[in-house]
Amino acid sequence: MKIEKHWVASFVVISIVCITGALWPAATQNAFVQSRFGTVDQLVPADIAWMLTSCCLVLIMTPGLSFFYGGMVGKKNVISTMLQSFICLGVVTLLWVVVGFSLAFGEPQGINIGSNFYSFIGNPLSYPFMDHVGVLPHKVIAGTVPFMLFALFQMKFAVIAPAIITGSFAERVRFISYLLFISLFTVFIYAPLCHAVWYPTGILGSYFGVKDFAGGTVVHMSAGFAALAGVLVLGKRKNSNHMPTNIPFVLLGTGMLWFGWIGFNAGSSLEANGVAAMAFGTTTTASAAAMLTWIFFDRINGRKVSALGACIGAVVGLVSITPAAGYVSIPESMFFGFAAAIVSNWIVNARFLKGIDDTLDVFACHGVGGIMGMILTAIFAHGEDASLLHGGWNVFGHHMMALVLVSIYTFFGAILLFKLTNKIIPMRVSEESEAIGLDLSQHDETLFPIECLE
C-alpha cells in the first residue's frame, strides 16, 4: 500500500511534539514567575469550581457541532463532516499547548502610541508546552483561578473556532490538507485575534475598546469570514443538491451546543458571580427568541416550519448574544436574537449567496451572526460611555472601525492560508472521490450499507 508523503511528514511532526513534551524541562520558580503570578491564598474555590464546570461545558460543544453539521450533509459525507469537527479536539489541543496559548496570552509584543502600550500578539516563548502555567493565579488575567484552568478554558474556544469553518466546505476537502489548514488558522488568525481582543493590552480591546464578552468577534467572526474565504478559494461542489441525512442528529447537536454555550458565555465571567448568572439568562433568552423568530419568519415567507430551521435559528441567537452576554439585560438579549435571526435568515435565502456554495451556510449564520452581535453590543452594552445608547459615541465608532479591520484581516488572511495550504497539499478531492463521498474515499467508513449509498 502506497503511503502519501504528507502522512509520513505529519506522523514525524506529532512524534517530535510528543517526545519533546516528555523531555521538556520542568518549570522553575524564578523572577518571571514571581513577578507575574500571585499566591495560592488568592484562589477562590467557588470560582475554580465554576470554571472547571464551564470548561467541561465548552468542551462538549465541539462534539455537539459535529452532530449539528453531520446531520445536515448528504448521506455519503456524514462521518467525514463529523470527524472534521471532532479532530479539532486533538489537533488544536496540542497546538495550543505547544505554542497557541503563548501567542494568545504570552508576554505582549506591540507598539507605544503616545504614553500607552498596545500589543498585537504574545511572545511564543512565554509558555511553550505550558511552561510556568500551573496552579498559581495570574496577577492580571483571571486572578482567582489557577492559570492552568484559564488556559484550558481558552483552549476549548480555540478548538471550536476552526471546527465551525468546516461546514462551509463540507463534502469536498481532503482530510490531510484540512489538518494543515486548521493548524495555520489557529496560529496566524485565531491566536493573534484572541490576543488583540482579550489580552489586557491587546490593541482591539484596549485601543479600540472592542467589547467581546465571550467570543463573538474572536470565534464567530473569524470562523465566519474564514468560511467565506474557503468557499471562494475551493469553488463549488460538483453536485450541490442534497437532502439533510439525519435531522435528529441536528436536533441533538443543537441541544449539546445550547447546553455547552452556557459555559461558553457565563463561564467567560471567569468568576462565580452575578455577571455569570446574567450571561446565563441572556444566552438562553436570545436563543429562544431567535429560534421562534426564524420559524415564524420562514412561515410568513411561504416556507414551512421545520426542525432544521428551528435549530439554525437557535444557534444564530447564541452566536449573536455571545459578545454581549454579560453586558446587556434580558429584554435586550431577546432583541439580539430577534434581529440576528431576521438578518441571517434573509442572508441564508438570498439569491446572491446561492452561487458560492457555502454548504451549511456558515458565513450567513456565524459570520453574519457575529457581525450583528458586535454591532448590537456597541449599541446596547451597559455602563457609562459603554455604547451608543449610553453616551459612548466613540465606543460605537471604534467598534465599527474594528469590525472592518477584523473582517479584512480574517477574510484575506484566510484566503492566503487556503492558497498556501493548497500549494503544499491540494485541498480538493478528485471528482471520483467526491462522487463516492468522503466517508468512503477519505476514511473507508460509511454510516449506511454501501448499497444504500448508490
Side-chain angles (χ1 to χ4, degrees):
M1 181 179 66
K2 182 181 178 181
I3 304 296
E4 296 180 0
K5 61 182 180 180
H6 306 305
W7 286 106
V8 175
S10 300
F11 180 77
V12 170
V13 169
I14 192 65
S15 300
I16 292 173
V17 167
C18 292
I19 293 171
T20 303
L23 300 176
W24 196 261
T28 57
Q29 296 287 333
N30 54 25
F32 179 91
V33 176
Q34 294 171 359
S35 64
R36 290 161 179 80
F37 295 94
T39 63
V40 175
D41 295 338
Q42 295 172 301
L43 298 175
V44 177
D47 294 346
I48 295 172
W50 170 234
M51 292 308 298
L52 286 169
T53 303
S54 295
C55 274
C56 296
L57 289 169
V58 181
L59 185 148
I60 205 171
M61 290 175 68
T62 300
L65 184 70
S66 71
F67 276 100
F68 183 72
Y69 280 170
M72 292 186 192
V73 295
K75 59 187 177 181
K76 300 178 182 180
N77 297 286
V78 176
I79 295 172
S80 62
T81 300
M82 295 182 73
L83 181 60
Q84 285 176 3
S85 292
F86 205 84
I87 201 68
C88 292
L89 286 165
V91 176
V92 180
T93 292
L94 291 189
L95 197 59
W96 190 252
V97 167
V98 175
V99 71
F101 183 63
S102 295
L103 292 171
F105 293 98
E107 291 303 288
Q109 311 296 305
I111 59 173
N112 289 303
I113 301 178
S115 59
N116 297 314
F117 174 76
Y118 301 101
S119 54
F120 300 95
I121 198 167
N123 185 340
L125 300 179
S126 294
Y127 309 114
F129 291 93
M130 292 295 184
D131 196 15
H132 301 300
V133 181
V135 299
L136 298 178
H138 196 281
K139 289 182 178 179
V140 179
I141 306 171
T144 62
V145 299
F147 199 39
M148 174 59 75
L149 182 52
F150 174 78
L152 293 174
F153 182 65
Q154 288 294 333
M155 176 195 292
K156 304 306 182 292
F157 283 68
V159 165
I160 200 170
I164 291 170
I165 304 170
T166 63
S168 64
F169 48 61
E171 304 185 332
R172 56 194 184 275
V173 172
R174 295 178 69 191
F175 188 68
I176 183 64
S177 59
Y178 163 73
L179 297 183
L180 175 59
F181 171 76
I182 62 174
S183 299
L184 295 174
F185 173 85
T186 302
V187 171
F188 293 105
I189 293 181
Y190 181 84
L193 188 58
C194 181
H195 181 94
V197 173
W198 283 334
Y199 195 82
T201 60
I203 189 164
L204 290 178
S206 58
Y207 180 75
F208 285 93
V210 170
K211 297 181 182 300
D212 188 0
F213 190 76
T217 303
V218 176
V219 177
H220 296 289
M221 279 188 62
S222 68
F225 277 100
L228 180 61
V231 170
L232 295 177
V233 171
L234 296 172
K236 299 175 66 174
R237 291 165 292 170
K238 299 302 177 184
N239 179 15
S240 57
N241 297 317
H242 74 266
M243 292 292 292
T245 297
N246 195 322
I247 298 300
F249 270 19
V250 182
L251 287 162
L252 173 62
T254 303
M256 293 172 69
L257 284 168
W258 198 333
F259 178 70
W261 222 295
I262 302 304
F264 198 80
N265 285 0
S268 293
S269 68
L270 304 179
E271 296 178 356
N273 57 16
V275 175
M278 182 58 71
F280 192 130
T282 57
T283 299
T284 302
T285 51
S287 187
M291 177 171 62
L292 293 178
T293 301
W294 191 284
I295 62 174
F296 293 153
F297 194 70
D298 269 349
R299 195 69 192 98
I300 66 174
N301 280 282
R303 298 181 289 270
K304 289 187 177 181
V305 172
S306 66
L308 186 63
C311 290
I312 294 173
V315 171
V316 168
L318 293 167
V319 171
S320 68
I321 195 60
T322 292
Y327 303 137
V328 298
S329 67
I330 297 294
E332 289 166 341
S333 72
M334 295 167 63
F335 180 75
F336 273 65
F338 168 79
I342 289 178
V343 175
S344 290
N345 188 302
W346 179 75
I347 294 292
V348 165
N349 293 287
R351 290 185 178 180
F352 64 87
L353 276 183
K354 293 295 185 183
I356 66 171
D357 195 17
D358 182 345
T359 310
L360 304 181
D361 298 311
V362 175
F363 175 72
C365 295
H366 290 272
V368 174
I371 291 170
M372 288 295 296
M374 190 176 184
I375 294 172
L376 292 172
T377 301
I379 295 173
F380 288 99
H382 289 197
E384 187 177 354
D385 295 333
S387 63
L388 188 61
L389 292 183
H390 297 279
W393 289 91
N394 288 335
V395 171
F396 180 81
H398 284 162
H399 255 75
M400 298 307 100
M401 292 170 60
L403 189 155
V404 173
L405 290 174
V406 170
S407 302
I408 292 172
Y409 176 71
T410 54
F411 177 70
F412 289 103
I415 284 181
L416 290 176
L417 295 184
F418 274 113
K419 288 183 177 294
L420 176 61
T421 301
N422 199 46
K423 209 167 189 62
I424 298 172
I425 312 173
M427 295 195 72
R428 283 294 296 260
V429 297
S430 66
E431 290 189 25
E432 180 184 4
S433 296
E434 189 174 330
I436 294 171
L438 270 59
D439 289 358
L440 271 175
S441 65
Q442 295 290 295
H443 309 293
D444 203 21
E445 296 174 316
T446 64
L447 186 64
F448 302 97
I450 292 179
E451 57 268 19
C452 294
L453 301 176
E454 297 175 351

